Structure formats: structure tokens, C-alpha cells
Amino acid sequence: MSTTTAELAKTMADAWNTGQAERVIALAARAAPADAEDEDVLVLLGLAQQATGRHPQAAATFRRLAQMRPDVSAYWNNLAVACRQAGDLPASEQALLTALSLAPDDAELHYNLGLLYTQQRHWLLARQSLLDAVHLAPHFIEARLQAAYACYVCGDNTHQETMLSGAVDWPAQPAEQALVLSAMLSVQGDLDAALRTLAHAQFPAEPAARVMRLRIAAQRVLLYERNNQIGAAQNELQQLPPEALDALPADAEQARADGWRAHAAMAMRRGAYAEAEALYRRVLACTIDDESQASAAFGLASARDRQGQYPEAWQALQKAHATQLDIARNVVPELLATDSRPLQVTGSNFEYGTHADWKPLSSPDSRQSPVFVVGFPRSGTTLLEQMLDAHPDFRSMDERAYIHDLIESMELVGQHYPADLANLTQQDADQLRGVYRRMVGEVLPDLGERRLVDKNPLNMLCLPMIMRLFPHARIILCLRHPCDVLLSCSMQPFRSPAFMVLCSSLQRLAQGYASAFEQWYRDVDAFAPHVLEWRYESVVSQFDDQVARLGQFLETADASPMARFAEHARDKRFISTPSYAQVTEGVHRKAVGRWQNYREQLEPVLPVLRPWIDRLGYTE
């Protein structure tokens, strides 16, 4: 480097270090041709171009550096970031892959690749890249947050919780990221951490700060409502006067939509269904993201349903499912095939002759085993869970996929489920039970001597694993009229991408229902588990008798605390399933036979459901 070039580089560096990015660019423009090709000069120029929003020019500069020094991963990384900011996503991906070939253990490279895939909505790739970044740099907070969000979109609750471990102690986040983080913390049931995240949010300069304050107020309303704290939600709603929402600028559509959604949710709670309908229609008129569109469409359908506007409600549901299908298309595109099976039947290849060949293993007795609550979603599992949780001898952990996680653990070490259950040794089974109990302990550290209630509807597809680890467990199968089940599933905004696909059409949903029960009864015939069939309609019409029957099945001397489940649910605050509001209202008949209002829509799938309507003892 010549003296002149060295002086130029130093002057540019001084300007950069004092925040004078424009001066850096001006100095480079006046440089002699030879000086302008100097490596240090190009680095400073590229950084200044990037800092001032000249992304195409920055990309050109970093491309020149990468050509000069193809062995420097940092130049490829800078090129990738500049290309992504300039909108050239294929070039960005190619540059990052080149950088990773040079520095495979660089967490920042994996992080930037994850951001790129997020921008492309390639969510599975984004999740993996961001998880890789966190694996390499566990204290990389930005990577943990983005990884958690990718897991959230993918419906990967287990890894999402892992990524957000300790989030309560993270530094204050910019307001936009605080909104995302608080939403994820709320889904995990940590309202206090979610509210604390919002309270510490860092706001941009005015007038953007005013818009963000309204969005955060709307988020607080929805958080309180979601946790059944209606008084607090109503108080927070006062921070969202309709005139303030109307006065927002045209480029603040998301804030306006957030505000109207908050008002609509509270109108639904008050029973002001016509008002809620009008508010949800205002939300849908805004230009907003797919998740907000789907949520508002489901809300609109519910408001219309409560008013007896059944054809109009179904029309809103069609819009909601179409939007959710667009979301799922970027996560599980393979499930959109006509012959796909979104509801994975995990034990469908089990050869029942091998059950007799299982090695005898010691296992916990019924009182030391979890109580498993299973059944097709929307069959009353949450109602039963809250009844059990209201009893001092039981404790539920909300809906967790821990049995499914154990199946994945087997597969990861090369064991095939369910065939290799026959080959498990005592040590293998003890280890799997130990993993299960550790996961439970992270959620319920104070479980003590109380009996665990593991409520996950689709554990009905995991009976072989349950019977191998807890053969003496009490299992309760929740039943409800198949048509009411399908209608209720159709009206819920499930977060799981697979369930978004499953519920996108009644035909898919009916076939999934039939497949689930076919497998369940095959497994029951093979294993003869201790099962109580718990019928929603009987609970509604014969509540006291059914509570006594439940207590007898669970060998509980006094089942009366279970009858006070509604009060218990109100005190519990967070309930993860869509029934979070209904279970605080007690038992009523409003949901029985509701499907008759939509008989015309359900008529085409009755041939699929009819065998199960008959077998389960229902009528059309």
C-alpha cells in the first residue's frame, strides 16, 4: 500500500469511526483509480454504502472484494447481506453458502442464512439455520429470538421453548421484536414475561413511536383477554380510542388492524356479536400479514355464527382456511398433495402379533403413571383436563407433545417405532421414562405426589408407546358427535401447519378423523388398555353422575372438586387450547348438535363419518 493510499484509508477510517458515512463515500469517489482498488478502501466504502442504504452499490463493492480475496468468508458474508437488502435473494444465498464452505462454524453466517430463508418464507430451512447458529453461539440473543419465531411458525413448540429459555432476562428489544417475543411468551403461558417484554420495549423516534404504542396497547388487550383477565383487558382497551385508530396514517395499516382486532375480541366477550362482526370486517379491509388475516376471518366467522348467520359464517371460514393454507404451503408443501395425510398415523405399521413377544419389563403402577387424556381435537379434552386439574390430587401441564417427542427420540438413535418397542431393555424403558419426567419437571417443578394429567388429543395415535412405558396408566378417551367435532375443528385457528392443512377441507378432516379412530381401535384390541370412554353429551346432560363415574375410574375417594372446574379455570388464567374462554363458563348444551346448522356443508362427508357415527352410538 502506498503512502497516499494508506493516508486515504486512515482518513476514511477516521470518518467512519465518527459516524460520517457520507464523507467516507465522498473520499472514495475522489480517490485515484489505483487507490480506489485498495482492499481497506473498498471495505470502508462498502460498509458506508450499506449504512446509508445504497444496497446495490454496497453489493457491487463487496462482490469486488470477494473476487479479490475469495478466501475471506467475511467478504462473502457482507456481499450476502448487501444482496439481501438489495432484493437479490438468489445471489445472497449463493454468497452465504460460499462463506459457510470457508467458515462452517461461524454462527453469524448461519444466522444470516436463517434471516434470508425467513425473508423467502422457507421456514423449515430458516428454522434449521437459526438453530445451527444458536448451537454454535448459545448466547446469541438475536439468533435465539429469530430461531424461536421460525419454530413458532413451524409449530415446533419444543424447540421454541428451548430457544426462549431465559428470555425474561434478555436485554430490552426494539418495539417490533418485542411484539413478536411477547406473543411467543404468551403462547407458552408466561403472561408476566410477555407483559414485561412489552413494558421494556425500545421505541423508534416519533411519529413511528406513537404507532408502536398503539400496537403494544392492542397486544396487551389481546394478552389479557387470552388469559381470561377481562377486567385488565377492558382497562387497557381505553388506550385504544377508535378516533386514534382512525387518525393513523395510511402506512400504519398493521397498527390499525391490531387495534380493531383488540376491540373485536372484547366485543365478543361482551356478547356484542354484531359490533364484533363490523370490527372484524374493518380488520380484513386492512393490508396485513396472513396470520392477522386468518385470525380476523376466524373471528368474523364466530361473530356471524353467534348471530345465526350460518351461510355467511361458512363463507368467512373459507377465507380463513384459504389464508392458513397459504401459510402452511411455506412450511409443509408436501402435505398439500391431494393424497397427503396431514394427520400422521404414527403406529399404523404396527404388527400386532409382535405385542405378545414384548419382553416383560417392570413399570410404574397406575397411581405412579400419568393419566392420559386423548381423543380427536375438539372432543372435550380441555374440559376434562380442567376438571382433573381442579382436584388437589391431580395436576395438568397443559397440552404437551412429550410422548411424540419420545417417539422422535427413538427414531433419532436408529430405532424404528413402533416395531423396536419389542426390543427395548429395562434400561431403555427407564431412560425413556426419565426423559419424559425431566420434560414434565421443567413445566411442573412442584408436581410432588400429585398425579400427572397428560392431555394431548393426538396421543390417541401413540398408544403403543404409552403401553410400553406406562402399561398400567389410566387412559380417558373423549368422545363427541363426529359432526360436531368436524365443525368445531373447522372453526378454530390452529397454529400447527399440519392441522391447518388437515382442517382446510371437510373431506380431508373427515378422512383424518376416520383414520385416527381406525388406528385407535386396532391398538385398543391389541393392548387392552385401561380406558374410560368419556362422552361430551353425557357430561352435559348427566354431569354429577359422570363426575362420580370419573372418580371411580381414577380410584379417587372424593371427586367433588372436579365439579368446580369453571372457577378453577378462571383462576388458572392461561389455557393453551382454543377452548380457553369456553371452559370458564361451566357446562352448557350450546355446543351439542351445533353441526345441524351446517348440515348442508357437512352432507358430502357424512358417508365417511357414518360408520363412526354408528359405532360411537350417535345418530344423524
Side-chain angles (χ1 to χ4, degrees):
M1 181 187 295
S2 69
T3 303
T4 303
T5 305
E7 290 174 350
L8 173 62
K10 182 180 184 308
T11 304
M12 291 173 67
D14 291 341
W16 173 254
N17 291 332
T18 55
Q20 301 179 66
E22 292 289 355
R23 175 167 165 71
V24 172
I25 294 171
L27 287 167
R30 296 198 296 268
D35 295 339
E37 289 297 302
D38 178 75
E39 186 175 345
D40 292 339
V41 169
L42 285 172
V43 168
L44 291 163
L45 173 61
L47 292 174
Q49 289 169 329
Q50 202 164 20
T52 56
R54 296 175 170 90
H55 302 306
Q57 294 91 327
T61 299
F62 286 121
R63 183 172 286 106
R64 177 73 186 118
L65 278 165
Q67 291 168 345
M68 290 170 55
R69 293 288 307 278
D71 58 321
V72 179
S73 64
Y75 294 160
W76 291 105
N77 182 43
N78 287 338
L79 171 60
V81 173
C83 287
R84 177 168 60 83
Q85 292 170 330
D88 189 351
L89 303 189
S92 178
E93 181 177 8
Q94 186 57 53
L96 281 169
L97 293 176
T98 302
L100 281 167
S101 70
L102 297 168
D105 295 330
D106 188 331
E108 185 179 356
L109 295 178
H110 290 278
Y111 172 68
N112 284 332
L113 186 58
L115 292 182
L116 172 66
Y117 288 142
T118 296
Q119 187 171 340
Q120 295 174 310
R121 302 175 73 186
H122 296 164
W123 290 108
L124 293 176
L125 293 174
R127 179 185 61 169
Q128 189 56 57
S129 293
L130 293 163
L131 289 174
D132 289 343
V134 174
H135 176 73
L136 292 166
H139 301 295
F140 191 170
I141 299 300
E142 292 83 357
R144 295 187 77 92
L145 175 58
Q146 294 298 332
Y149 183 66
C151 292
Y152 173 85
V153 174
C154 293
D156 182 355
N157 297 327
T158 301
H159 279 110
Q160 178 191 317
E161 289 189 3
T162 301
M163 290 298 100
L164 295 181
S165 176
V168 67
D169 299 319
W170 288 359
Q173 299 293 316
E176 189 78 44
Q177 292 180 204
L179 285 167
V180 174
L181 178 56
S182 70
M184 292 189 293
L185 291 170
S186 173
V187 166
Q188 293 182 187
D190 197 342
L191 175 64
D192 293 337
L195 293 172
R196 191 178 302 114
T197 297
L198 295 178
H200 296 156
Q202 297 175 334
F203 289 94
E206 295 292 354
R210 180 172 64 91
V211 174
M212 291 306 303
R213 278 193 289 270
L214 290 173
R215 290 192 66 189
I216 284 178
Q219 181 93 312
R220 286 198 183 96
V221 172
L222 293 172
L223 289 177
Y224 283 128
E225 187 275 334
R226 184 62 181 76
N227 285 267
N228 291 313
Q229 297 190 31
I230 304 306
Q234 194 63 51
N235 289 336
E236 194 66 40
L237 197 65
Q238 296 176 15
Q239 306 300 315
L240 289 169
E243 57 270 20
L245 299 176
D246 283 332
L248 286 170
D251 62 353
E253 286 278 79
Q254 189 65 55
R256 186 178 292 107
D258 290 349
W260 294 133
R261 273 182 63 210
H263 278 279
M266 295 306 295
M268 289 292 292
R269 283 288 192 146
R270 295 195 310 273
Y273 303 126
E275 179 186 341
E277 178 187 3
L279 289 164
Y280 281 125
R281 288 170 66 91
R282 296 192 72 167
V283 175
L284 289 168
C286 297
T287 304
I288 49 179
D289 62 90
D290 285 346
E291 188 175 352
S292 298
Q293 283 273 350
S295 175
F298 278 114
L300 178 61
S302 181
R304 287 173 169 172
D305 175 79
R306 298 295 184 90
Q307 297 175 83
Q309 301 172 8
Y310 304 122
E312 295 81 2
W314 194 259
Q315 183 181 34
L317 284 177
Q318 297 308 102
K319 176 177 177 57
H321 287 297
T323 305
Q324 282 205 323
L325 207 55
D326 285 339
I327 296 172
R329 184 173 285 109
N330 293 300
V331 182
V332 286
E334 69 280 2
L335 293 185
L336 272 69
T338 305
D339 58 348
S340 72
R341 303 182 73 178
L343 186 58
Q344 183 181 7
V345 184
T346 50
S348 59
N349 61 337
F350 186 68
E351 296 179 4
Y352 296 109
T354 64
H355 178 220
D357 300 329
W358 279 7
K359 299 174 183 175
L361 302 175
S362 63
S363 56
D365 62 25
S366 64
R367 289 188 169 274
Q368 299 302 314
S369 301
V371 175
F372 291 97
V373 176
V374 304
F376 205 83
R378 307 301 299 159
S379 295
T381 54
T382 301
L383 171 63
L384 175 57
E385 176 195 24
Q386 295 308 310
M387 290 175 64
L388 294 172
D389 196 58
H391 195 289
D393 292 346
F394 297 86
R395 184 76 186 277
S396 74
M397 58 179 176
D398 218 12
E399 198 163 298
R400 309 282 169 172
Y402 292 160
I403 296 297
H404 292 261
D405 292 342
L406 294 183
I407 292 172
E408 288 186 8
S409 298
M410 281 188 65
E411 297 283 353
L412 286 173
V413 297
Q415 294 175 318
H416 298 293
Y417 177 85
D420 283 341
L421 289 175
N423 303 320
L424 291 186
T425 65
Q426 186 68 53
Q427 183 179 10
D428 293 333
D430 290 343
Q431 285 179 342
L432 285 170
R433 279 191 288 265
V435 171
Y436 178 83
R437 289 180 176 127
R438 281 196 296 275
M439 292 189 290
V440 171
E442 291 175 0
V443 179
L444 298 178
D446 57 345
L447 178 63
E449 297 301 313
R450 287 173 289 189
R451 295 170 70 180
L452 173 69
V453 177
D454 186 338
K455 188 272 287 189
N456 186 309
L458 293 182
N459 277 347
M460 70 183 294
L461 303 179
C462 303
L463 192 57
M465 176 63 84
I466 292 173
M467 294 302 293
R468 194 52 164 151
L469 299 184
F470 303 105
H472 306 295
R474 294 296 187 263
I475 302 172
I476 307 172
L477 173 70
C478 292
L479 297 174
R480 185 183 179 192
H481 194 296
C483 293
D484 276 329
V485 169
L486 259 64
L487 175 63
S488 189
C489 283
S490 295
M491 299 194 78
Q492 303 306 324
F494 290 106
R495 282 203 315 111
S496 162
F499 246 79
M500 291 178 185
V501 176
L502 180 69
C503 297
S504 63
S505 78
L506 285 175
Q507 191 67 37
R508 258 199 185 111
L509 190 52
Q511 290 169 345
Y513 182 93
S515 296
F517 274 94
E518 285 168 4
Q519 181 184 328
W520 166 259
Y521 281 112
R522 284 199 309 269
D523 287 348
V524 167
D525 288 344
F527 295 103
H530 300 287
V531 174
L532 173 70
E533 292 192 349
W534 179 257
R535 194 176 300 270
Y536 179 82
E537 293 82 0
S538 298
V539 176
V540 169
S541 61
Q542 307 161 16
F543 183 72
D544 292 339
D545 290 345
Q546 293 302 314
V547 170
R549 177 170 167 259
L550 178 62
Q552 184 178 14
F553 177 71
L554 296 176
E555 303 171 301
T556 301
D558 179 16
S560 61
M562 298 179 189
R564 298 188 288 274
F565 72 91
E567 177 184 347
H568 174 75
R570 286 192 291 272
D571 292 339
K572 190 174 181 180
R573 302 200 308 187
F574 185 78
I575 299 168
S576 70
T577 62
S579 305
Y580 70 93
Q582 293 94 312
V583 294
T584 66
E585 300 171 359
V587 172
H588 51 73
R589 294 192 59 83
K590 291 186 291 187
V592 176
R594 186 182 177 196
W595 74 275
Q596 294 286 1
N597 298 322
Y598 298 89
R599 187 178 184 105
E600 179 183 348
Q601 288 79 17
L602 284 158
E603 197 76 40
V605 299
L606 286 179
V608 179
L609 295 179
R610 191 164 289 124
W612 299 104
I613 292 173
D614 295 340
R615 177 165 183 171
L616 299 177
Y618 291 101
T619 65
E620 291 181 33

